[in-house]
Amino acid sequence: MVWVRSEYAGELAVLSTWVAALLPWNVFYGAVAGGSVLFVRFPLFQIRYAFGLPFVRATSVSSPVSAFLLQSGTSVQVAYGLWLVGAVAYLVAFVISVYYYREEERAESWAVDPVDVLGGLLVASAVLFLVASMLLPERFFGLGLGVGGGIPGVSIPVGAVLQLVLGGVLLRAERVS
């Protein structure tokens, strides 16, 4: 079953890639050291809100690179490394989508279909984000599947799941030449 008509697949590919930038791949809220913390992780950055925690900035923003370097040598380094690799895959998809938007005729003449390329990159980065979510020490969907016993709270990979769906729709699009 085809979910998108052939003539709209290119537009959907570009729009899906751009929408994925706005979807947090992981949202975590939990209790830590007498306070609470909210992590909102987007493909290319993370925002941390801390409430009631002394000696911690209330809000901080970090990139996948800085977050990975900060976690170097810890039990969550692999999860942050997967986020970094997923962010690179997503960034490549974003750059291709901008090129595709600006130079549609040139992109359509590639040996590979740009819709398939964008769909594959969205799926690849979404899978990396999902695996990273499962490796974080947070309770995945509140089920306690994280490593290290889990931090009290709930971790939901909302954007990663939606990005996986968007990429899957793009890969299922039948293109007519």
Side-chain angles (χ1 to χ4, degrees), residues 1 10 14-15 32 35 70 81 84 91 94 106 142 145 149 155 157-158 164 170 173:
M1 179 175 134
V14 170
L15 184 61
V32 178
L70 182 66
L84 180 58
L91 188 58
F94 187 79
R106 286 186 182 174
L145 298 176
S155 179
V158 62
L164 186 65
L170 295 177

Side-chain angles (χ1 to χ4, degrees), residues 2-176:
V2 178
W3 292 354
V4 63
R5 294 179 64 169
S6 174
E7 61 267 20
Y8 301 119
E11 289 87 351
L12 181 63
V14 170
L15 184 61
S16 296
T17 305
W18 294 358
V19 165
L22 304 174
L23 298 172
W25 63 268
N26 179 277
V27 176
F28 170 75
Y29 180 79
V32 178
S36 57
V37 66
L38 172 70
F39 283 96
V40 183
R41 296 178 178 108
F42 294 89
L44 302 177
F45 65 96
Q46 159 185 279
I47 302 172
R48 184 197 68 209
Y49 301 100
F51 311 97
L53 296 173
F55 308 111
V56 175
R57 286 190 321 191
T59 304
S60 70
V61 178
S62 55
S63 70
V65 173
S66 64
F68 174 75
L69 293 174
L70 182 66
Q71 300 300 331
S72 180
T74 67
S75 64
V76 294
Q77 181 179 7
V78 173
Y80 279 83
L82 289 171
W83 173 27
L84 180 58
V85 173
V88 169
Y90 175 78
L91 188 58
V92 169
F94 187 79
V95 168
I96 290 171
S97 74
V98 170
Y99 180 80
Y100 190 20
Y101 176 76
R102 295 182 56 92
E103 302 288 338
E104 183 176 1
E105 288 182 19
R106 286 186 182 174
E108 292 284 341
S109 69
W110 292 349
V112 294
D113 185 11
V115 172
D116 289 339
V117 170
L118 291 173
L121 287 168
L122 286 178
V123 167
S125 61
V127 167
L128 289 164
F129 295 152
L130 282 169
V131 173
S133 288
M134 287 189 267
L135 292 177
L136 288 168
E138 304 151 356
R139 287 195 261 169
F140 188 65
F141 281 114
L143 300 174
L145 298 176
V147 297
I151 296 172
V154 178
S155 179
I156 303 173
V158 62
V161 172
L162 292 173
Q163 185 177 329
L164 186 65
V165 169
L166 290 171
V169 167
L170 295 177
L171 290 174
R172 297 268 309 143
E174 289 183 14
R175 302 279 287 181
V176 178

